[in-house]
Structures are given as C-alpha cells and as structure tokens.
Amino acid sequence: MTLNTAAKAQASARLSSSWLGRLQKALTVFCVLALIAAGLTAAACAYAGVTADDNPLSFIVGDVPQLEQAMEDESVAREAAGRPAEVAYGNPEGVRLQIYTALGWLPSLLLVAGLLFVLRRTIRRARQSDTFSGDTADGLRLAGRLALIGGLVAWLAEWAARVTLNNASMNLRPGEEIWAYIPYTLRALIVDLPWLWVLLGVGLLAISAVFARAVAMREDLDGLV
Amino acid sequence: MVDPEHRVSVHLDELLTARGMTLTELSRKVDLTLANLSILKNGRARAMRFSTLTALCDALDCTPGDILRVESADPADE
C-alpha cells in the first residue's frame, strides 16, 4: 500500500470508527435480544406442552362434537365454569403441538440472531483492520446468503408447521391431507413468500459485490506508481 | 520479477547501476517516494503514470523501452 492510500485509509477509518462502534454495540444488543426472544419462545412452548399434559380441561378436547359432548357432562361443565376458555386443536399430542408451535416462530428468531451475529462480526473486523477489505466483502456476502437461503428455509419450516397445525385442527381423514395442502401451497407460492428476506439477501449480496469491486480497485490503486 | 498477470518487466536497477545512481538519489530527482520507487524496482507495480515515466526517462536520460520490457510468452525463449 502506498503512503498516500495508507493515509487516506487511516483518515477514513477514523471517520467511520465512531459510528461503526455505535452500530457494533447496537447489533450486539439486538443479537442478545433476539437470542433471549428465541429462548423465551422455546421455553413458553415447552411450558404450554407441560401444562397441557397436566390439565386436559384447559387444553385439547378434540373436535367440535367432542367439545359439545364434554360440556354436556355436568361435572365437567361445573369444573370448567369460571375458568378462561382456551382454543384447542384436534391433535391431542401435547409434545407434537409444542414442536409445531415452536417451529412457527423459532426459525425466524434464530435466523435474525444469526444474521445480527454475522453483521456484528463483519463490522468488528472492519473496525479492527480496514473498512474496504476482503473480510468486509466476505462477511457481507455470507450475511446475504444467510438472509436469502436461511430466510427461505425458515419460511418453509414455519409454513410446514402451520399447515400441519391447521390440518390437525381440521381432523382430516387419511388421504385428505394432500387436498388440504393445495390451497396453502398456492397461496404460499404467490402471497406468503418471504419477500423481505429475499430483498434483504439480494441487497446484501449486491453490497458485498460493490465492496469486492472496491477492494479490487484499491489493490489496483496500491500498485499504481 | 514479473507479475503473473502480465509480462512487463521493469529494468530500473540495471539503469541505476549503469549510471552509478542510487535509488535515494533518483527518488529525489523524480520527486517520488522511496517506497513507490522500490515497488517499481521490485516489479510489484501494476501500473505507471505517464508523468512518472516521463520523470524517470528525464532523470535517467533514457527511453521508456529502456525501463520497461515485455517478456516473451514462451519460457524457452528466456
């Protein structure tokens, strides 16, 4: 690196280090918050599963005829009186419901935590060495791929969990599930695609490509006499 | 030493030896830093400004062809 470009790099680093430092701290806080949210979600789902198994009155009764039949029973109705009503799904397996409920939220929360961690590491490296370095471009490329691929995978996992929960609540007979999936599939392909993740991923990949070009230009400039 | 991306070699050291000049003296004459001249002499430069080439030719009383040479693509020719 020539002296001229080294001086420019130092000046640029001084200017950017102040706000990069604040951004790094903010990302650390958000990353921890996302991890806490993911932990709380998992814990809440686990707690719901345990209480559901312990107290079947407040949990799953089955389909509507079963619910009506249960409420006709005076002893059940007396015990249920004054207690908050809870919506229940047809599948009585608490553990399965717990897993599906967790799958409806956890992938996105874990993805957010992972993405924040990658961005924080990229910024930390940029602060320690040079903003326009190969490490920064690599970090942004990794974040872009994570947002794009991870976003689609998380969306698929959450979508499958929701469809399974819906089908369970509909008490479908064997062979009917495939027909129940079709409206969800069509809607998912058109409306529910995670466009935000796709846009974020493509945007980060584009920025990483710009950074890679900037790194190449700087290397060329370093070799200019 | 020639960069693998191109076959241009810099013969600054030969010219300096022929004229009995040191790199420090040349850097003073052409108003270039010693670091930049060292990059050029050791073949690590990727490009050269016309102004630098003109200053070097003036200082060393030579033509661009004396400083820069394109090596043969065939290794047997060397």
Side-chain angles (χ1 to χ4, degrees):
Chain A
M1 186 185 287
T2 61
L3 289 178
N4 199 19
T5 45
K8 280 180 188 170
Q10 280 175 358
S12 163
R14 270 199 303 276
L15 268 174
S16 60
S17 66
S18 56
W19 72 267
L20 276 181
R22 285 196 289 273
L23 187 62
Q24 188 186 329
K25 281 176 192 166
L27 284 176
T28 308
V29 171
F30 286 134
C31 187
V32 170
L33 284 177
L35 283 174
I36 289 172
L40 283 176
T41 306
C45 290
Y47 179 73
V50 169
T51 51
D53 291 340
D54 290 348
N55 189 4
L57 252 185
S58 64
F59 187 56
I60 297 161
V61 179
D63 54 11
V64 173
Q66 282 177 330
L67 177 65
E68 286 170 350
Q69 192 182 349
M71 292 309 289
E72 280 171 12
D73 186 340
E74 280 186 21
S75 62
V76 173
R78 210 179 303 122
E79 200 178 334
R83 297 172 64 174
E86 292 186 20
V87 177
Y89 291 100
N91 191 341
E93 296 173 41
V95 177
R96 271 182 66 191
L97 181 74
Q98 176 187 331
I99 292 168
Y100 292 143
T101 312
L103 274 174
W105 285 97
L106 268 183
S108 283
L109 284 172
L110 289 175
L111 180 62
V112 167
L115 192 63
L116 288 170
F117 175 75
V118 171
L119 286 174
R120 184 194 167 278
R121 193 183 61 174
T122 305
I123 288 173
R124 184 171 55 84
R125 284 183 180 169
R127 284 184 70 207
Q128 283 173 352
S129 56
D130 184 10
T131 311
F132 288 97
S133 68
D135 279 347
T136 310
D138 290 345
L140 287 171
R141 195 181 305 116
L142 178 65
R145 284 177 184 166
L146 189 66
L148 197 61
I149 299 168
L152 286 171
V153 170
W155 167 75
L156 270 176
E158 290 171 359
W159 173 77
R162 285 194 198 112
V163 167
T164 311
L165 266 176
N166 281 339
N167 283 350
S169 71
M170 288 161 72
N171 283 328
L172 296 172
R173 282 189 293 276
E176 285 181 339
E177 288 93 342
I178 186 69
W179 300 108
Y181 270 91
I182 288 173
Y184 292 114
T185 311
L186 287 175
R187 185 171 170 236
L189 284 174
I190 299 164
V191 181
D192 288 343
L193 265 175
W195 294 112
L196 193 67
W197 285 116
V198 171
L199 283 174
L200 183 68
V202 170
L204 282 169
L205 285 175
I207 294 170
S208 79
V210 170
F211 261 76
R213 184 68 64 86
V215 171
M217 283 177 73
R218 169 172 274 188
E219 280 172 4
D220 269 349
L221 198 64
D222 286 345
L224 176 68
V225 176
Chain B
M1 188 169 61
V2 181
D3 194 306
E5 285 181 12
H6 58 76
R7 302 199 318 275
V8 176
S9 59
V10 182
H11 298 273
L12 206 56
D13 44 355
E14 293 167 18
L15 289 166
L16 285 171
T17 310
R19 282 149 183 80
M21 198 185 286
T22 63
L23 205 63
T24 315
E25 285 170 352
L26 182 65
S27 76
R28 224 175 287 135
K29 275 191 173 180
V30 297
D31 199 23
L32 271 177
T33 63
L34 206 56
N36 273 354
L37 268 183
S38 179
I39 287 171
L40 193 61
K41 183 172 136 330
N42 295 324
R44 283 185 280 114
R46 290 184 175 196
M48 195 194 288
R49 289 191 182 91
F50 283 150
S51 58
T52 307
L53 192 58
T54 308
L56 285 173
C57 287
D58 285 346
L60 294 167
D61 191 25
C62 63
T63 61
D66 296 328
I67 301 173
L68 304 173
R69 224 169 288 158
V70 178
E71 302 294 335
S72 170
D74 188 3
D77 292 348
E78 290 175 9

